[in-house]
Amino acid sequence: MPLISEDQLESELRKLVIAHDRSPMAVEADVQRRVDRSRRRRRVAPWTAIAAMSLGAALVVVSRDQPAEVIAADDGAAFTPSPDSTGDLPTVDQIEIRTTRSGAQAIVTFTDVLTGQPTFTASIDSASPDLMQYTTQERSAVQVCGSVHTFNEDGFGSVDLLLPESQVRWDMSMTQPRPVYDDIDESSPIRGGKAVVCGPHAGFVQVSLWDLAPAEASQVSVTLSDDRRSLVVSVACPAPGDC
Amino acid sequence: MESSVPQTAFHDFLVTDYPRIVGVVALTTGSRMAAEDAVHEALARAWERRNDIEYLNRWVLAVALNLARSRWRRLRREVLQKDPPDQPSVPAPEAMSPQLLNAVRELPARQREVVLLHYVLDKPIREIAQVTGLTEGGVKHALFRARQSLLNRLSPTEAPDAAHL
């Protein structure tokens, strides 16, 4: 049994907070600089948007297998354009990632109805190129279209949708991520989560959903929406406080 | 700063709350620089929304933790295997127990936040629930598990060099 008391624990924890050596004036000056910078940004924002739209038309050069990233929460990143041609196949249209106190949900919506039901496969390596499948990956080795990524420390693993290239395409030049968190107060807790779309690679378009919650297969379900246009990925927290 | 009343509140915050909040955010993320950046950015945003904020302390803490989580997530999220791992940048003060620091670092992120908010910032369960987005039951559960983990890690039977505790 532990022999230290709770009071001792509290006392020791307080010692971990290092005495701060910044003067309030120095902090205030830095905060003021940020306020000024933010105001300047707001003044030039409309002109920046116009310039970006003009430039955007000329800068659409991305390799076919290059992952495009959709970052939820306040990261605010946008899809990267892809030169893929969509043809008549359902195309990834948008991805929403929502976090709640009990878990997370990602909704991947397509431009047209999907055929088939998503099924679980134990690993990417054993996935069938003819089936719409999903799997989970440990944080120590997340395969994304041939690259292996790792998460440090508290990072969670991934939930991965593997969509046959014969059934699905992605064409990011047509899409913009829907802001997921713009309707909540800025001080509300967020957990983010991230979507990486890439491929086709080894016969699949891969939608890799990172960092939502512990990506254990038993806590993940993937279903097709009633209108067959969305894949709904639900990730449950194993227990309160564990997400 | 422009308005006299908010200026007073902000000045008070810098003197009384700022050091401990930066310290807690630093322990949460493992990076002192990231913690300062997050708290300063939260303060700048708070200044611009000062008419809408009821409790400056709570608002800045919540936004700073959000920013720090987000930044930390960006830093850690895709380290290719060939890259060296990130090194934590919280310096160890003289009085610190390295064992306790390691134990805190090894807690799941949510438990780490909860235990630091509770023990270091003296936040009540209800306020921790508001800041973290957990239910009050979830906070209690996380606190219980964190406390158990820390006490077990620091008990002499498992950690002989923790005798100074």
Side-chain angles (χ1 to χ4, degrees):
Chain A
M1 288 293 292
L3 296 181
I4 69 168
S5 70
E6 189 156 323
D7 287 345
Q8 285 175 308
L9 177 62
E10 179 173 342
S11 168
E12 290 299 317
L13 280 168
R14 286 171 183 267
K15 289 180 188 172
L16 294 183
V17 177
I18 304 156
H20 203 67
D21 55 0
R22 279 220 191 200
S23 75
M25 286 179 63
V27 175
E28 190 171 325
D30 183 54
V31 171
Q32 185 65 62
R33 272 194 297 276
R34 290 165 188 261
V35 171
D36 293 343
R37 192 168 57 209
S38 169
R39 287 175 180 164
R40 280 198 302 274
R41 250 191 239 129
R42 280 202 300 272
R43 278 200 295 271
V44 303
W47 300 106
T48 307
I50 291 169
M53 286 166 63
S54 306
L55 280 172
L59 295 175
V60 184
V61 182
V62 174
S63 73
R64 186 175 174 83
D65 277 359
Q66 181 70 36
E69 299 179 356
V70 185
I71 300 173
D74 64 347
D75 291 0
F79 280 114
T80 304
S82 160
D84 280 356
S85 169
T86 59
D88 294 328
L89 293 174
T91 305
V92 178
D93 187 35
Q94 66 180 25
I95 300 173
E96 292 183 2
I97 298 177
R98 301 179 183 280
T99 54
T100 67
R101 291 173 179 174
S102 59
Q105 192 174 60
I107 303 172
V108 183
T109 303
F110 296 80
T111 55
D112 205 347
V113 295
L114 298 169
T115 55
Q117 289 281 348
T119 57
F120 178 75
T121 180
S123 78
I124 286 181
D125 298 326
S126 63
S128 164
D130 300 322
L131 298 174
M132 192 159 40
Q133 292 174 297
Y134 70 96
T135 190
T136 61
Q137 298 188 80
E138 295 288 334
R139 66 180 183 182
S140 57
V142 176
Q143 291 186 54
V144 182
C145 287
S147 299
V148 179
H149 299 247
T150 60
F151 295 92
N152 288 338
E153 287 211 344
D154 305 310
F156 295 130
S158 69
V159 181
D160 298 87
L161 302 176
L162 304 167
L163 310 169
E165 64 175 324
S166 59
Q167 297 178 26
V168 163
R169 292 194 188 281
W170 64 284
D171 177 9
M172 298 310 169
S173 63
M174 296 175 61
T175 62
Q176 289 294 322
R178 174 182 291 181
V180 178
Y181 292 98
D182 61 353
D183 59 343
I184 65 171
D185 181 77
E186 191 168 13
S187 62
S188 298
I190 55 172
R191 278 187 214 116
K194 174 184 175 183
V196 175
V197 188
C198 64
H201 177 85
F204 294 108
V205 169
Q206 182 176 356
V207 180
S208 190
L209 303 163
W210 293 1
D211 215 16
L212 296 182
E216 293 173 21
S218 62
Q219 285 144 3
V220 176
S221 70
V222 180
T223 56
L224 196 57
S225 65
D226 291 342
D227 65 1
R228 305 189 65 84
R229 286 188 55 212
S230 297
L231 290 172
V232 181
V233 181
S234 300
V235 185
C237 295
D242 278 355
C243 279
Chain B
M1 305 283 176
E2 299 163 358
S3 172
S4 60
V5 173
Q7 186 172 20
T8 307
F10 277 73
H11 182 75
D12 290 347
F13 175 91
L14 292 179
V15 173
T16 58
D17 299 314
Y18 173 84
R20 282 195 305 159
I21 287 183
V22 169
V24 164
V25 177
L27 283 171
T28 300
T29 63
S31 166
R32 180 135 198 107
M33 190 178 296
E36 287 187 359
D37 183 60
V39 174
H40 292 193
E41 184 61 29
L43 274 168
R45 294 183 187 188
W47 177 255
E48 299 204 83
R49 296 161 179 74
R50 58 192 179 279
N51 294 331
D52 304 321
I53 295 173
E54 194 173 2
Y55 301 107
L56 181 64
N57 172 308
R58 188 184 305 176
W59 198 92
V60 169
L61 175 63
V63 173
L65 283 172
N66 275 345
L67 290 169
R69 282 184 212 119
S70 188
R71 182 180 189 278
W72 190 239
R73 189 177 293 119
R74 280 196 296 274
L75 286 174
R76 75 172 189 226
R77 70 188 174 205
E78 57 178 308
V79 181
L80 290 174
Q81 285 189 322
K82 62 185 178 186
D83 294 337
D86 292 344
Q87 295 297 318
S89 58
V90 175
E94 295 299 323
M96 182 187 297
S97 159
Q99 194 178 22
L100 178 59
L101 181 60
N102 287 336
V104 170
R105 281 177 176 157
E106 288 171 11
L107 288 174
R110 229 5 107 149
Q111 290 182 25
R112 189 164 58 228
E113 274 185 20
V114 166
V115 84
L116 291 171
L117 293 175
H118 181 72
Y119 283 116
V120 180
L121 294 184
D122 287 329
K123 296 292 185 190
I125 300 293
R126 186 176 180 182
E127 190 173 331
I128 296 173
Q130 289 169 345
V131 168
T132 59
L134 298 172
T135 61
E136 291 187 27
V139 171
K140 289 176 186 171
H141 181 78
L143 195 56
F144 173 79
R145 293 182 62 165
R147 193 161 43 210
Q148 288 301 106
S149 296
L150 293 176
L151 291 175
N152 286 333
R153 281 289 304 271
L154 299 171
S155 67
T157 51
E158 292 189 20
D161 58 337
H164 65 285
L165 290 176

